[in-house]
Amino acid sequence: METRTIQIFDTTLRDGEQTPGVSLQTEEKVEIALALAKLKVDVIEAGFPVASPGDFEAVSQIAARVKGPSIAGLARANEKDIETAYKAVKKADRPRIHTFIATSDIHLEHKLKMTRPQLLERAEQAVRYAKSLVNDVEFSAEDASRSDWKFLCQVYERAIAAGATVINVPDTVGYTTPAEFGALITHIRTHVPNIDKAIISVHCHDDLGMAVANSLAAVTAGAGQVECTINGLGERAGNASLEEVVMALNTRHEYYRAITNVNSQQIYRTSRLVSTLTGIAVPPNKAVVGDNAFAHESGIHQHGVLNNPLTYEIMSPESVGISRNAIVLGKHSGRHAFEERLKHLGYEIDTETVNTLFAKFKDLADRKKMVFDKDIEALMVEKAAVRPEWYTLVYHHVASGNQMVATASVQLRTSAGVSEAASCGDGPVDAAFKAIEQAVGFPVGLKDYQLKAVTAGEDALGEATVWIEQDGRTFSGRGLSTDVIEASAKAYVNAINKMLAVCGFPAVQQAQGR
Ligand SMILES: [Zn+2]
């Protein structure tokens, strides 16, 4: 059997954006899409254009600015959705419309209130209309894994006859098992007469922890496209994780006889970028991209890996873009060395950005003896998170101890001037947050706060993430510093800026508010 190339369809920006607590702004979505293009995924599902004007705008921007992958927009099986999706993706070099309708009896009866013949008709019309607008049309039978197999095959046959180039088989509710799902794919291959005119795609959810296993079983049975997300983000328990699907196919290509076009060395930094911009942390034990994925704790394992990595390593950290060597730069490193390191890490950036980053690097090297690759990656990701900021933190001063009440004073700058405030609190971080809240002059709904070290060592760079809530939406902010209070205060201000960019000033109006 010859080796097949499996298409990787990334839906981080559509299904992944439906992760509870995630809301990305247009610039953040473009930043992620650019990273996905570098990762060399085949298709980027950029959003659901009819869902909101914000979704439409993000998909349009990505279609116009991100080159390489096909850009897909999701649409229900109706004219308005399809037309809106078309308007959003039309500027892409290779636009795709992805239209879907549910085919299981549960959905037909309780959601769509349609009969099977009516559904066949609707699916055909939707695909035909999409095909009149673009050449590349994907058709999804929502809840396929709980649909009647015979009926499902009829739907796919009609969709392909109407012009679908890809037919997607979603396990929408994460219910199937690898053997069962593989059998369904085989059944479709042998019972849909015109199946050779379309690629079979799968879209698996992880409710029972089997999304990746189900996707791979489908590949073995002949599926040619896998839908997945960075870090496995997505509705409920999430989707199949892109990094796990890709590395399973890479590592076991002799077994699967299949590869992908993905540049695996971009996996780690894409994972970090997505984690930072969505505010959803990657668990340390997560396969492929978790902090512990390549850490060998037991002495026997460490000894083996030092003699020959193959003893306990089935893939190398370098293959996913994690560098093994530790120390890179220090305070005496010059601009040239810094730029070389960025190139080595795979970043091609303009001189102006290198200058900005170099200034940040110098500042960091002053505070920290050794600057590691992970620190540089963190600076890069922080750059990605920069947006027009309403407030900037000018200074903060915090006094705390076990015999005193923590007090903080802060100064924030806006285009309208500076704002100062002081407050006491339950510990130094709480005091700093309360002082910032007073300085901005409206209540900030703090939801969650997290602090972690980017690298090991007592002078490690601390990375703080803060989640705040406004109008029922969650916004995450991130701050980076060797001083954990400063990292926390920066994260809090960053979250407030993101919230203001979307919601405007809350009811308590500032004089200069929008
Ligand atoms: Zn889904």
Side-chain angles (χ1 to χ4, degrees), residues 14-15 203 205 239:
R14 202 279 299 164
D15 212 319
H203 176 108
H205 276 270
N239 287 71

Side-chain angles (χ1 to χ4, degrees), residues 56-103:
F56 181 88
E57 173 63 16
V59 178
S60 314
Q61 290 279 339
I62 290 168
R65 289 161 60 186
V66 179
K67 299 299 162 195
S70 298
I71 307 297
L74 186 68
R76 284 166 300 190
N78 67 60
E79 281 204 8
K80 180 167 182 254
D81 276 38
I82 293 169
E83 198 190 335
T84 310
Y86 169 66
K87 285 181 179 156
V89 296
K90 67 178 178 194
K91 283 203 183 121
D93 289 343
R94 282 179 296 138
R96 176 183 289 188
I97 294 175
H98 178 195
T99 185
F100 73 98
I101 192 160
T103 50

